[in-house]
Amino acid sequence: ALLTSERFQSAEIWSRFYPTQRIQILSFITYHFNEQTESGVTRSLNGLGDIPVLVNYNLINTTDQPLRTVNHTMWVGGGVKIPTGKFQYTNDQATVANPNFQLGTGSVDFMVNGIYTLRYKKFGINADATYKINTYNSRDYKFGNRVSGTASLFYIHQFGKVGVMPNVGSYMESSGKNINQSDEVSETDGQALFVSTGLEVYLRKLSLGFNYQNPLSQNLGEGRIQSHDRTMVHFTFMF
């Protein structure tokens, strides 16, 4: 049986631009550091990943109504993922053992997403969902479509000029089977549910955040793949 241990790390630069009050443009530039260990042999792939660009429209926004104690906002939109990351997967076991280890999908893919926030005084709920529609790449390989989403409860408190926002919630992801030419690839679909906790700290135009995810339940690759803890740290500067 094939047994590998994989470790995925990435550094990401993300930007958000508002050409108008109700339209936002998001982009993410990611550099990956992937390691795969099999039978004591470690292989690595480092490099630029695929770049998604999203355009969202502010469908609901009550935050400009000062007399309201309950406010909510909703953004809906979508975008495209540009195949800037390399996809060099082959069945040669001297390289890497699965296509998910690659830096990119090699395909132009499409996304639709929604973001909703409900806030009452210092408490709030945030939820978002993304559906990713994948296409075939030049090697006639297509990754399964994927849906992912988060839901979290947060609390905001101000300590002088410093704001803190602890949060707790969940993250889920589900994907269909990959397709190689016209054949479904076994053990490539699955679902996973994570519990998450995090903290955001704000000071003027700066913010620092931390998020930790732990798998609560999972069925990945027909039970042959096990996902482990995930940790994310981010720094934001608002122009």
Side-chain angles (χ1 to χ4, degrees), residues 48-198:
L48 181 68
D50 293 339
I51 298 178
V53 178
L54 297 167
V55 179
N56 289 333
Y57 178 75
N58 191 194
L59 191 63
I60 301 172
N61 189 355
T62 63
T63 58
D64 58 352
Q65 302 175 28
L67 298 180
R68 293 179 62 99
T69 56
V70 177
N71 283 288
H72 60 161
T73 61
M74 175 179 284
W75 294 84
V76 294
V80 61
K81 183 187 67 60
I82 305 168
T84 49
K86 291 183 178 180
F87 181 86
Q88 299 174 314
Y89 172 70
T90 68
N91 290 323
D92 181 6
Q93 296 302 313
T95 55
V96 294
N98 68 68
N100 293 319
F101 189 77
Q102 298 297 306
L103 299 173
T105 65
S107 59
V108 177
D109 305 322
F110 303 93
M111 295 166 289
V112 291
N113 75 301
I115 307 168
Y116 179 75
T117 303
L118 175 67
R119 182 173 171 180
Y120 172 70
K121 295 183 178 179
K122 294 184 177 182
F123 290 92
I125 297 173
N126 179 262
D128 67 79
T130 301
Y131 183 62
K132 186 164 172 280
I133 305 165
N134 297 316
T135 67
Y136 283 92
N137 60 28
S138 61
R139 297 174 181 260
D140 289 329
Y141 195 96
K142 185 175 86 72
F143 287 84
N145 294 344
R146 169 173 295 199
V147 60
S148 60
T150 64
S152 61
L153 173 68
F154 62 85
Y155 174 79
I156 300 175
H157 188 76
Q158 199 73 23
F159 295 95
K161 296 181 179 180
V162 178
V164 296
M165 187 180 74
N167 60 81
V168 61
S170 62
Y171 168 78
M172 64 78 60
E173 58 185 30
S174 177
S175 61
K177 281 186 169 63
N178 299 350
I179 300 177
N180 188 8
Q181 296 181 353
S182 60
D183 300 323
E184 289 188 343
V185 183
S186 62
E187 302 173 4
T188 56
D189 60 339
Q191 306 84 35
L193 175 65
F194 297 78
V195 292
S196 65
T197 184

Side-chain angles (χ1 to χ4, degrees), residues 15-35:
S15 61
R16 181 172 57 193
F17 172 66
Y18 292 87
T20 71
Q21 187 175 4
R22 285 190 173 270
I23 295 177
Q24 64 175 203
I25 300 175
L26 303 168
S27 67
F28 307 86
I29 301 174
T30 307
Y31 195 92
H32 296 290
F33 305 87
N34 299 343
E35 287 187 355

